[in-house]
Amino acid sequence: MNGGKKEYTFLWFIKNYSYFWTTTDKELLSPEVTLEVLEGTSWSICLYPGYLKYKRRDLNSVYLKRSAHDAGPESVSLKLEISVITADGSTLSSEESEHAFRNGDECGFKLLLDMDELYVRRNTEYLPRDTLGVRCRMWQGEGSVHNVGQCSTRTRIGIEKICFLHRVENFSALKLGERKILQIPSHSKTGCVISSSLSVCNTLAGNDPVIVGIVPSDSNYILCRKKLSLLYESGNTKECGEVDYRFLDVGTDIQKLERQLTRQFLLNKKWEYLPNDELSLLCECTFSTGAEHAKIEEIIYKIPLAAYNQKYHNAMGKNGNKAAEHLSAPLSPSADMEVNHNNQCLINMKLKANTFSAYNVAPSTTPSVALNQMTNNDQNKIMYNAAEKLSMCPSVQDDFTALYSDQLLTDVVLKTSTKSFPAHKNVLCARSSVFRAMLTNDMKEKITDCIKVEDLENETVHRLLLFLYSDNLEELRWESALKLYYAGDKYAIEKLKVLCSSFLVDSLSTPTASELLLLADTHSDTDLKKLVEDFILEHEEEVFGSDEWDSLSETNPKLVLNTMKVKYKREKAGK
């Protein structure tokens, strides 16, 4: 080919990558793209996640494949660079090669990742937004780049979350090994039914753990996460534990859950966890349903290098915008997922379950697109569907979340004892009056462009900033809610405080009442403190007899004394 080097970049992003539960030899295939700039040849990328995950040096983990039936020449010689990248374009692994492709030919690459960061240490920063990318650069000719092109494709790993309540009456009479079975429909198009089997097992340790087995009727449904919580008679819950089967240390999760949820534990606090001898266990399950959606998002054809560079960075930003879902996924719909709002209820004489499906992802066919084949008449025949087009546009929330994730034009950092978090002064000032005072008055934060937050943990700062940019708070747990409440109060972010306190109140129980009372008192939150006091006095026998209350009495006797005064005044007023 004459006229300098002609280069083409093939981008492929895989959303919800950690949920692609697979055997070692199972492949994941990108959409196929036909490239006129490469003589009408058609290409796809094939990834073997198992070989990336288990570091198989003897086997190729990524392939570039030429179609066996394209209209291009018999052989096409290319120089290649294949890279595994993150959603923001950071390169994790890369390899170059040169190959002459015939129809149906392929070229393999032994790319490796440090998947211990993801599957052992559960490091969400290693694979931001749980999106893995493959970038293939293909070029012909030598010298400076003359013409360039690019296509961006995307595959989504389907996720379906199901939450249901498994009730068992006469729990104390349940025999060892006896199973209580509950059938829950998933409401997906496949008609999959989830079977929940609850039993008490006899172990060598003698702790008789309560085991909940989850089995889907569809083999394409793979259980990835399971979270169990006890439901109080008041409607509040106590988290027992969570098992995340995606990670290599899943055995630790299982052992922890078995230690916490035992027959003896439930019987010892029967008045609290077994009202009327009925066990109510809230089960939250996340299933992977495999690669359910693939599409070509953008194609750039023969543009100058400078324009290509600009478009490439824009494309990376867009891919960052649309990638949503961390390793710990919340029960809320993402922009790319259809939501089933029809809550269903199953009622059985002995077992009852309230079920809902948070994610129902409709499968889509894998497209194949040829460049410059669509005539003007063909284009005119396409119906203009404004609603569909608008649904594909990123929202303000998406754009601001990407602004934080991509760290574009940041001008200030929040610094913990071990890490710095780049941010934007305008956003911090708009969301927090404390940050506004720091950055607009003659204070050291304004002079140094650095806000020290050494009293906060890295994860808390990350979630704090994510909330400031997105106005969204996902997958709260008791500990994280306590820490974010503290941050919200310190930096005068009232909405964050309200959301966290609401979660804490909803999760209030006799073991946590002492801690929440101390939090409310420390931050002078009178409304929250009164609510906790009401709860404590309604459950005074259980709370006052708990280890947590004994510990509070030792560390903060004045607060305990004031609570007893409230009890005395109410009793006196009631006489």
Side-chain angles (χ1 to χ4, degrees):
M1 302 179 66
N2 299 322
K5 183 163 64 174
K6 297 185 178 181
E7 181 178 302
Y8 201 90
T9 300
F10 186 169
L11 292 170
W12 177 34
F13 291 93
I14 307 164
K15 294 181 64 175
N16 305 326
Y17 177 78
S18 68
Y19 286 89
F20 189 67
W21 194 265
T22 175
T23 57
T24 304
D25 58 351
K26 188 171 182 180
E27 68 179 17
L28 191 58
L29 193 63
S30 77
E32 185 178 277
V33 180
T34 300
L35 309 178
E36 293 299 330
V37 71
L38 294 179
E39 304 179 69
T41 50
S42 298
W43 305 87
S44 60
I45 299 173
C46 179
L47 176 69
Y48 287 88
Y51 299 154
L52 289 175
K53 179 177 178 180
Y54 295 110
K55 302 184 179 181
R56 293 292 300 272
R57 266 291 182 193
D58 56 325
L59 295 169
N60 295 320
S61 55
V62 182
Y63 287 85
L64 177 66
K65 292 187 173 185
R66 181 184 171 185
S67 171
H69 307 290
D70 65 36
E74 181 180 349
S75 179
V76 176
S77 295
L78 296 174
K79 292 182 179 179
L80 311 165
E81 180 194 66
I82 288 273
S83 304
V84 177
I85 61 177
T86 63
D88 58 9
S90 302
T91 300
L92 301 176
S93 182
S94 185
E95 187 176 321
E96 292 189 11
S97 182
E98 187 172 356
H99 192 77
F101 289 86
R102 295 179 177 274
N103 286 102
D105 206 356
E106 61 186 28
C107 181
F109 298 82
K110 295 181 174 65
L111 299 181
L112 298 178
L113 300 180
D114 184 6
M115 298 310 280
D116 284 352
E117 287 289 339
L118 179 63
Y119 290 101
V120 177
R121 286 180 281 278
R122 309 190 184 194
N123 182 3
T124 58
E125 295 177 5
Y126 184 70
L127 204 62
R129 299 184 294 279
D130 201 16
T131 298
L132 183 77
V134 180
R135 180 181 62 217
C136 178
R137 292 177 56 242
M138 304 174 276
W139 67 90
Q140 294 175 314
E142 300 294 338
S144 58
V145 176
H146 179 63
N147 280 327
V148 297
Q150 174 184 299
C151 70
S152 179
T153 64
R154 181 175 300 272
T155 296
R156 184 179 67 235
I157 306 304
I159 296 175
E160 184 168 336
K161 296 190 176 184
I162 298 176
C163 179
F164 60 91
L165 190 61
H166 199 149
R167 296 184 187 271
V168 178
E169 295 181 354
N170 301 319
F171 175 80
S172 60
L174 188 65
K175 298 178 181 179
L176 291 176
E178 181 182 357
R179 295 183 178 183
K180 296 296 184 179
I181 309 295
L182 182 65
Q183 303 289 333
I184 307 102
S186 72
H187 305 293
S188 67
K189 293 183 179 180
T190 64
C192 178
V193 175
I194 309 301
S195 176
S196 174
S197 172
L198 187 149
S199 62
V200 178
C201 294
N202 188 10
T203 64
L204 294 176
N207 57 350
D208 297 344
V210 176
I211 304 297
V212 178
I214 305 295
V215 179
S217 62
D218 189 334
S219 61
N220 292 320
Y221 276 62
I222 306 296
L223 179 64
C224 292
R225 298 174 66 192
K226 177 177 68 177
K227 178 181 175 182
L228 302 180
S229 303
L230 288 167
L231 182 67
Y232 296 94
E233 191 173 18
S234 63
N236 295 324
T237 60
K238 171 185 171 59
E239 184 177 332
C240 302
E242 179 177 357
V243 179
D244 199 325
Y245 298 95
R246 295 173 296 167
F247 302 115
L248 298 182
D249 59 348
V250 61
T252 303
D253 289 349
I254 295 174
Q255 292 174 5
K256 183 178 179 181
L257 179 60
E258 290 181 353
R259 286 195 302 268
Q260 292 193 12
L261 187 59
T262 66
R263 177 203 285 269
Q264 197 59 47
F265 169 77
L266 296 172
L267 293 178
N268 285 345
K269 294 191 174 183
K270 187 174 182 179
W271 69 89
E272 188 170 10
Y273 300 131
L274 298 173
N276 301 318
D277 200 21
E278 181 179 67
L279 173 65
S280 298
L281 199 61
L282 182 65
C283 307
E284 301 170 64
C285 301
T286 304
F287 296 89
S288 168
T289 55
E292 292 192 339
H293 184 71
K295 65 179 179 177
I296 298 172
E297 293 190 328
E298 181 179 41
I299 294 176
I300 302 171
Y301 177 61
K302 284 188 177 181
I303 65 173
L305 178 60
Y308 165 77
N309 287 334
Q310 183 63 42
K311 287 292 291 181
Y312 173 77
H313 291 296
N314 289 343
M316 295 306 301
K318 179 174 70 173
N319 285 317
N321 285 347
K322 293 184 179 179
E325 177 95 10
H326 308 254
L327 283 173
S328 301
L331 282 173
S332 61
S334 73
D336 288 331
M337 297 181 177
E338 298 177 3
V339 188
N340 184 341
H341 295 283
N342 299 319
N343 293 348
Q344 302 292 328
C345 181
L346 297 178
I347 300 179
N348 188 287
M349 293 300 292
K350 294 294 183 182
L351 305 174
K352 306 171 186 177
N354 297 327
T355 73
F356 63 86
S357 174
Y359 291 170
N360 281 327
V361 186
S364 174
T365 58
T366 302
S368 176
V369 173
L371 295 182
N372 290 352
Q373 289 184 341
M374 187 177 289
T375 66
N376 290 333
N377 288 336
D378 291 330
Q379 293 175 18
N380 292 335
K381 292 177 182 177
I382 299 176
M383 295 184 64
Y384 188 85
N385 190 327
E388 181 177 350
K389 292 177 182 292
L390 286 172
S391 69
M392 299 300 294
C393 298
S395 65
V396 172
Q397 183 186 64
D398 294 331
D399 289 336
F400 269 83
T401 303
L403 190 66
Y404 166 63
S405 301
D406 297 341
Q407 300 180 7
L408 182 64
L409 301 177
T410 56
D411 52 10
V412 67
V413 296
L414 276 67
K415 192 172 183 179
T416 68
S417 57
T418 60
K419 187 174 180 180
S420 295
F421 292 82
H424 300 82
K425 293 179 181 178
N426 286 341
V427 175
L428 298 187
C429 291
R431 300 286 277 158
S432 163
S433 58
V434 174
F435 286 142
R436 186 186 307 124
M438 288 179 175
L439 297 171
T440 57
N441 297 313
D442 292 330
M443 301 176 70
K444 63 180 180 179
E445 289 82 5
K446 178 182 178 181
I447 299 170
T448 61
D449 292 332
C450 177
I451 301 173
K452 291 188 177 181
V453 288
E454 295 176 350
D455 55 336
L456 300 180
E457 297 177 358
N458 291 343
E459 181 64 21
T460 303
V461 175
H462 168 67
R463 297 191 65 164
L464 168 65
L465 286 171
L466 196 58
F467 174 79
L468 294 181
Y469 281 82
S470 69
D471 206 37
N472 193 24
L473 201 57
E474 298 180 342
E475 198 164 343
L476 272 181
R477 297 189 180 181
W478 183 265
E479 289 300 324
S480 61
L482 291 173
K483 295 170 183 177
L484 285 169
Y485 178 95
Y486 168 82
D489 185 63
K490 179 179 180 180
Y491 295 108
I493 308 168
E494 187 62 24
K495 184 174 182 180
L496 180 61
K497 275 186 63 180
V498 171
L499 290 173
C500 291
S501 59
S502 176
F503 172 85
L504 293 168
V505 168
D506 289 341
S507 306
L508 184 59
S509 63
T510 52
T512 61
S514 302
E515 187 174 24
L516 192 55
L517 178 66
L518 179 60
L519 179 78
D521 182 70
T522 302
H523 294 274
S524 302
D525 191 332
T526 54
D527 291 339
L528 180 59
K529 186 177 180 180
K530 183 179 183 305
L531 191 147
V532 180
E533 287 175 341
D534 291 343
F535 177 87
I536 290 174
L537 297 183
E538 288 175 6
H539 304 82
E540 59 180 62
E541 182 178 345
E542 295 88 349
V543 175
F544 294 159
S546 68
D547 295 338
E548 291 81 9
W549 187 259
D550 290 341
S551 177
L552 183 64
S553 301
E554 295 176 2
T555 59
N556 201 321
K558 184 177 179 180
L559 177 60
V560 170
L561 179 60
N562 289 338
T563 305
M564 302 308 293
K565 287 181 178 178
V566 172
K567 169 179 164 59
Y568 172 75
K569 289 179 180 179
R570 292 188 183 182
E571 289 178 347
K572 185 177 181 180
K575 290 183 179 180

